[in-house]
Amino acid sequence: MASGDATTAWLIDRRNGADGYARAVLTAAADVVRLGVRSPIPAGLLEATAPEYRGPGGRVPADWFERSMTYLTASSAGQAPALAPAGTEPQAAGRYDLAAPLLRHIARARAEEKVPAGTWRAVVEQIGDKDDLERLAWSAEHRLLYCFAVPLWRRAIEGGSSVAPVRLAGLLAAQGATADAIALLRGRSDLDDDARGTLADLLAGQGEVREALDVLRARGGWRAATAERDLFGLLVAHGRLDDARALVREDDRRPSLDITRALADHGRLDDLPRRAGTGGRTAVFAFDRFLMQERRFDELRARADAGDSIASTFPAKLLYEEGRTEELRSRADAGDISSSARLAELLVRQGAVGESRSRADAGDRQPGAALAAELERRGEIGELRRRCDDGDHPAARRYALLPAAAGRVEEARSMFRWTSGGRTC
């Protein structure tokens, strides 16, 4: 620890004792590393970026950089230099590593400082390592410096980066250059599944449905089998609802719901009833469900009264959720089976078992399941048996399952064979 403290102190003293030119080189080196460069820093990059940190001054000596490097690469009494040569190999010639303690010291001091534009331009031109370029491009994106992120991703592509094509395509599309983004990905044979998904998304947004589907089908494994469904989602997200509608089967309920919801989201409310009128039962269900979610109860009731058997289930559900017993009772008395079933559930929920029992005794078969469950919960097994004798199938099922729940399986099986009125209970 003492040796490390001594090294840090010595390096900071070297920086504090440096002239303005050498200090500018150190600051430039620290900023370059902060942006993402991890490979040794080329001397040419330090020379190009240091003037950004030197500030205004008088005449600049012709040999300022050479003198600065001589000072910064010098060591004393076994202490490491501020800038250490990367090695003796030919590829390391003219490249330097900034001492870690000095990097931390400078980085803390510059944590809130902006990196000069000249430094960004220099790294775009002089850094060639693929991993460094990726880190630099991410840094530029995070700082919203897309003018530097784009060329950095281009350089990374040249270096063989696998993530750069997708990132660059996304930036180009965000800037309105969708055609350029598509061309960038379309011409590559090394796309992974994520990149194919990005290309399909861009193609879907441009209405290139067939090509987008081919791209999604080229993905491996289980993803190839979901190509149509994935493309449908992309088309809906882009608001290309007619293309999405043409892609799915008439009987595929979930896409129909998504199209209905998207029509509403895009303000195409006039298309909703027209679609329900021409799109079969799935479209009718989707429209009725949309009305239910929007609490457009009057429209739902009108559709139910006009004979829409699907719509008739939704008002009952809405009335049940809102606890509107009288309206449910009125609809049930008028012969609405869905309302009768929901009324039975609501009466049990409200503790009005007597009315539910009376309606069942009067011949209403809908309260059976809810009433049988409540009788079992209350332990009224004799009432369950009586209803079983009267041919109440929900009560019979509840009654027969009692011994099964207690582990008496044969007894339960014999009950299911028992008949009342000629029917198996």
Side-chain angles (χ1 to χ4, degrees):
M1 182 65 69
S3 175
D5 290 342
T7 298
T8 300
W10 187 81
L11 289 168
I12 293 176
D13 286 343
R14 291 291 289 174
R15 178 176 182 268
N16 293 338
D19 62 16
Y21 302 106
R23 286 171 64 89
V25 171
L26 285 178
T27 305
D31 268 5
V32 166
V33 176
R34 282 202 304 142
L35 293 181
V37 174
R38 298 294 180 267
S39 59
I41 306 170
L45 179 59
L46 294 173
E47 185 174 8
T49 54
E52 300 290 333
Y53 304 88
R54 194 170 56 235
R59 187 176 63 87
V60 178
D63 60 346
W64 70 269
F65 184 69
E66 289 76 10
R67 286 195 298 167
S68 297
M69 294 301 292
T70 299
Y71 176 82
L72 295 173
T73 56
S75 58
S76 175
Q79 299 291 356
L83 286 174
T88 58
E89 299 82 0
Q91 62 270 24
R95 295 176 176 271
Y96 299 87
D97 291 312
L98 178 62
L102 204 50
L103 170 62
R104 290 192 293 270
H105 176 75
I106 300 174
R108 280 195 298 268
R110 289 187 54 77
E112 304 297 327
E113 300 292 331
K114 291 183 178 180
V115 177
T119 300
W120 281 107
R121 286 191 291 269
V123 296
V124 169
E125 296 171 359
Q126 300 199 34
I127 295 298
D129 181 81
K130 172 181 70 69
D131 295 332
D132 284 347
L133 287 166
E134 287 180 357
R135 284 187 289 266
L136 288 165
W138 280 117
S139 293
E141 275 201 53
H142 291 162
R143 291 168 170 81
L144 307 182
L145 297 174
Y146 303 123
C147 59
F148 298 119
V150 168
L152 283 166
W153 283 125
R154 290 193 187 279
R155 292 289 311 280
I157 291 174
E158 295 169 1
S161 170
S162 60
V163 301
V166 174
R167 295 305 309 171
L168 179 56
L171 290 180
L172 291 174
Q175 295 172 354
T178 306
D180 292 339
I182 292 175
L184 173 68
L185 296 177
R186 181 186 273 157
R188 300 186 66 86
S189 60
D190 58 344
L191 297 181
D192 59 16
D193 285 351
D194 289 338
R196 289 191 179 95
T198 299
L199 176 56
D201 186 16
L202 295 171
L203 290 168
Q206 298 299 302
E208 302 290 342
V209 178
R210 179 51 54 189
E211 184 178 356
L213 185 58
D214 291 341
V215 170
L216 290 174
R217 284 173 174 167
R219 297 177 300 180
W222 60 269
R223 288 187 170 184
T226 65
E228 287 81 0
R229 180 62 61 87
D230 293 341
L231 178 56
F232 169 83
L234 295 176
L235 291 169
V236 170
H238 284 290
R240 305 190 70 89
L241 307 183
D242 295 331
D243 290 333
R245 189 183 306 175
L247 190 67
V248 299
R249 301 189 312 272
E250 175 69 29
D251 60 348
D252 199 342
R253 173 172 291 187
R254 180 66 193 183
S256 186
L257 291 174
D258 290 341
I259 288 177
T260 300
R261 188 177 298 109
L263 286 169
D265 291 343
H266 287 78
R268 292 171 57 177
L269 300 180
D270 292 341
D271 285 355
L272 293 176
R274 181 168 60 253
R275 173 171 167 73
T278 61
R281 287 183 60 82
T282 298
V284 171
F285 176 85
F287 181 47
D288 290 342
R289 181 172 174 178
F290 167 76
L291 294 176
M292 170 69 179
Q293 291 172 339
E294 295 295 312
R295 292 296 195 261
R296 290 160 64 168
F297 181 65
D298 291 339
E299 293 178 62
L300 260 179
R301 182 157 47 193
R303 289 177 62 81
D305 294 341
D308 183 346
S309 60
I310 298 176
S312 66
T313 65
F314 287 109
K317 184 175 185 294
L318 178 61
L319 292 171
Y320 169 78
E321 290 178 352
E322 296 183 352
R324 294 157 67 174
T325 310
E326 291 302 323
E327 291 183 64
L328 267 178
R329 185 180 291 114
S330 175
R331 294 180 67 86
D333 291 342
D336 186 342
I337 295 176
S338 297
S339 295
S340 181
R342 290 293 184 176
L343 175 61
E345 295 178 33
L346 183 58
L347 290 173
V348 169
R349 191 179 77 184
Q350 294 174 342
V353 178
E355 181 180 349
S356 184
R357 183 184 287 116
S358 299
R359 296 184 70 87
D361 291 341
D364 188 347
R365 301 184 62 84
Q366 299 307 314
L371 178 58
E374 180 63 13
L375 291 173
E376 180 186 353
R377 189 188 71 81
R378 293 184 173 201
E380 298 183 22
I381 307 304
E383 175 73 4
L384 267 181
R385 176 58 191 248
R386 183 186 70 77
R387 292 189 171 281
C388 181
D389 291 339
D390 291 340
D392 185 331
H393 282 259
R397 282 193 294 270
R398 284 282 177 178
Y399 184 72
L401 288 174
L402 290 175
R408 303 194 303 275
V409 179
E410 288 303 321
E411 183 180 349
R413 186 176 292 117
S414 68
M415 285 187 174
F416 273 108
R417 288 196 295 267
W418 174 79
T419 61
S420 174
R423 292 178 295 181
T424 300
C425 290

